[in-house]
Amino acid sequence: MWRKVLWVAMPLALASLAFTVYRCIPFTEEDLSSEDRLWALYEQWRSHHTVSRDLDEKLRRFNVFKQNMKFIDEFNKKDEPYKLKLNAFADLTNQEFLDLYAGSKIEHHRIHRGEKPEGEFKHGHIDIYKLPASVDWRTQGAVTPVKDQRQCGSCWAFSVIAAVEGINQIVTRELISLSEQELVDCNTGNSGCNGGWMDKAFEFIKNVGGITTEATYPYTGWQGPCNASQVNKPVVTIDGYEDVPSNNETALQQAVANQPVSVAIDASGRDFQFYSEGVFTGSCGTNLDHAVAVVGYGVTQDGTKYWIVKNSWGTNWGEQGYIRMERGIPKKEGTCGIAMSPSYPTKTSPNPSNESAKDEL
């Protein structure tokens, strides 16, 4: 009898703290109805994704894993334009996942956002009908590899750094991986691993004269004391930042056609937790709890428009760390609120010479 084969993403070896190589372990429909098979599968998954647990905790986690596995199997039987998979978050409840990875409290920082009238931003004059049908800044060399924020609510820093890395490459033709940790430790206007707002981070980078490299000030996954000596070694500068008009996907497209853009989204859905591939059209709200970067847009062969979004949960999540989110929907806020609060850094000239910092690249 033909059996539908499902897949679990499993790591083979840890290449670094931020990048992992994965293989797929097949499992069948029969596994879903056998406690022994489910337990064996969970033990395989746990050995690669978690630390040792006592028996009571393992039993509790196994029950969460089992429910998530069944949820994913049932969803993937539907005729939806995207799929789910068991990933590194598979033994977390949705609430635990939100607390650890998507609980950055982005929304309450909106009081800092300066609203702009329609069209009053750098890219607002561009004729929408003259924009390219698709843009992918990854293919233009303006996007660094996907990074991993780990269990720290520092998504705002990763969103900002992706946007700054992008505009710097566009202006200077040099792609430099920059330091999220400098923002986590030193940007006192935000709250480190407890969340932050992208505009405040752009202000910080401008005010201190730039941002240093990831190699100089590497990511740790927790907030520590600010290393002032490294803050004094900026390698990349920006002139400032601008907000894209809120709730306007056309304006967002005008901006993304010219550079990567920081956005806030609602990542609270269970579908989002286990997203694997395809254009995400799932239900989600506008409670902005996670920050990401839009690095392009496109259209599928069947005509579905989408945004290319770079996340900061490592390469095991989604499409090698990315998600394609539906674009041009009737709701003015966009899918998961993606059009509510976009912003981007501005830069018009190459970086000033800073030989002491460049020596450490």
Side-chain angles (χ1 to χ4, degrees):
M1 183 177 69
W2 179 83
R3 297 188 300 173
K4 178 183 177 183
V5 178
L6 308 175
W7 301 91
V8 182
M10 301 288 285
L12 274 175
L14 197 63
S16 70
L17 286 175
F19 300 100
T20 310
V21 178
Y22 294 90
R23 64 188 173 96
C24 286
I25 303 296
F27 66 94
T28 66
E29 294 286 356
E30 284 82 354
D31 291 324
L32 297 171
S33 59
S34 167
E35 287 289 303
D36 289 342
R37 290 186 180 185
L38 281 168
W39 183 263
L41 186 64
Y42 174 63
E43 287 285 33
Q44 280 186 290
W45 178 91
R46 186 186 61 80
S47 68
H48 288 284
H49 284 293
T50 68
V51 296
S52 299
R53 302 186 187 279
D54 61 39
L55 182 58
D56 288 342
E57 179 66 4
K58 282 175 65 176
L59 288 172
R60 190 173 80 84
R61 289 294 160 195
F62 169 65
N63 286 325
V64 173
F65 177 86
K66 181 169 59 175
Q67 291 303 314
N68 285 335
M69 187 174 174
K70 291 180 178 179
F71 171 78
I72 291 167
D73 178 50
E74 288 300 316
F75 178 88
N76 286 341
K77 292 175 182 176
K78 302 175 184 178
D79 184 22
E80 298 289 347
Y82 64 100
K83 297 297 181 183
L84 310 182
K85 71 177 178 182
L86 288 174
N87 55 28
F89 310 135
D91 75 344
L92 297 176
T93 67
N94 185 244
Q95 187 58 56
E96 290 169 334
F97 166 75
L98 296 181
D99 291 342
L100 292 171
Y101 296 96
S104 293
K105 313 298 182 186
I106 297 293
E107 190 172 26
H108 79 266
H109 290 280
R110 281 182 56 79
I111 58 173
H112 299 305
R113 181 175 171 84
E115 298 296 344
K116 291 179 179 290
E118 186 81 14
E120 289 191 12
F121 70 111
K122 180 179 179 181
H123 305 303
H125 67 282
I126 301 171
D127 186 343
I128 189 68
Y129 297 105
K130 294 182 180 179
L131 291 176
S134 64
V135 170
D136 189 343
W137 287 108
R138 296 172 298 181
T139 65
Q140 303 301 312
V143 183
T144 59
V146 169
K147 304 178 185 182
D148 191 346
Q149 69 186 69
R150 298 176 231 163
Q151 293 183 4
C152 168
S154 55
C155 57
W156 57 275
F158 285 83
S159 172
V160 164
I161 290 299
V164 174
E165 290 169 343
I167 191 60
N168 183 68
Q169 191 277 340
I170 291 167
V171 173
T172 69
R173 300 303 175 191
E174 184 178 13
L175 182 62
I176 302 173
S177 185
L178 301 174
S179 175
E180 292 85 8
Q181 193 66 42
E182 180 179 339
L183 295 179
V184 172
D185 291 350
C186 306
N187 182 194
T188 56
N190 282 316
S191 302
C193 286
N194 292 317
W197 183 238
M198 288 80 83
D199 287 3
K200 285 293 182 182
F202 289 134
E203 289 177 4
F204 170 83
I205 295 172
K206 177 186 177 182
N207 291 340
V208 301
I211 189 83
T212 195
T213 67
E214 184 177 24
T216 298
Y217 203 146
Y219 189 68
T220 64
W222 61 83
Q223 184 175 4
C226 179
N227 187 336
S229 66
Q230 303 305 341
V231 177
N232 293 327
K233 297 179 179 179
V235 170
V236 170
T237 62
I238 60 174
D239 300 329
Y241 73 94
E242 284 194 325
D243 294 326
V244 179
S246 297
N247 302 323
N248 187 330
E249 285 198 272
T250 296
L252 180 56
Q253 185 182 358
Q254 290 172 307
V256 175
N258 287 274
Q259 64 186 100
V261 175
S262 293
V263 297
I265 60 173
D266 182 341
S268 61
R270 204 172 178 190
D271 290 4
F272 207 94
Q273 179 178 348
F274 297 114
Y275 168 79
S276 172
E277 61 181 340
V279 177
F280 184 83
T281 59
S283 60
C284 47
T286 56
N287 180 27
L288 306 180
D289 55 12
H290 188 52
V292 290
V294 182
V295 298
Y297 61 83
V299 185
T300 64
Q301 290 185 341
D302 68 3
T304 303
K305 298 178 180 179
Y306 60 84
W307 300 109
I308 304 171
V309 178
K310 183 184 184 184
N311 203 352
S312 53
W313 294 341
T315 56
N316 181 38
W317 181 87
E319 296 181 333
Q320 293 297 305
Y322 290 86
I323 181 172
R324 285 179 290 160
M325 300 177 69
E326 188 177 14
R327 174 170 62 95
I329 69 171
K331 288 176 57 177
K332 63 180 182 179
E333 299 89 355
T335 301
C336 302
I338 196 171
M340 290 175 67
S341 298
S343 56
Y344 56 83
T346 57
K347 181 181 178 70
T348 58
S349 59
N351 302 312
S353 176
N354 189 329
E355 297 304 325
S356 62
K358 289 180 180 179
D359 286 345
E360 300 187 26
L361 290 177

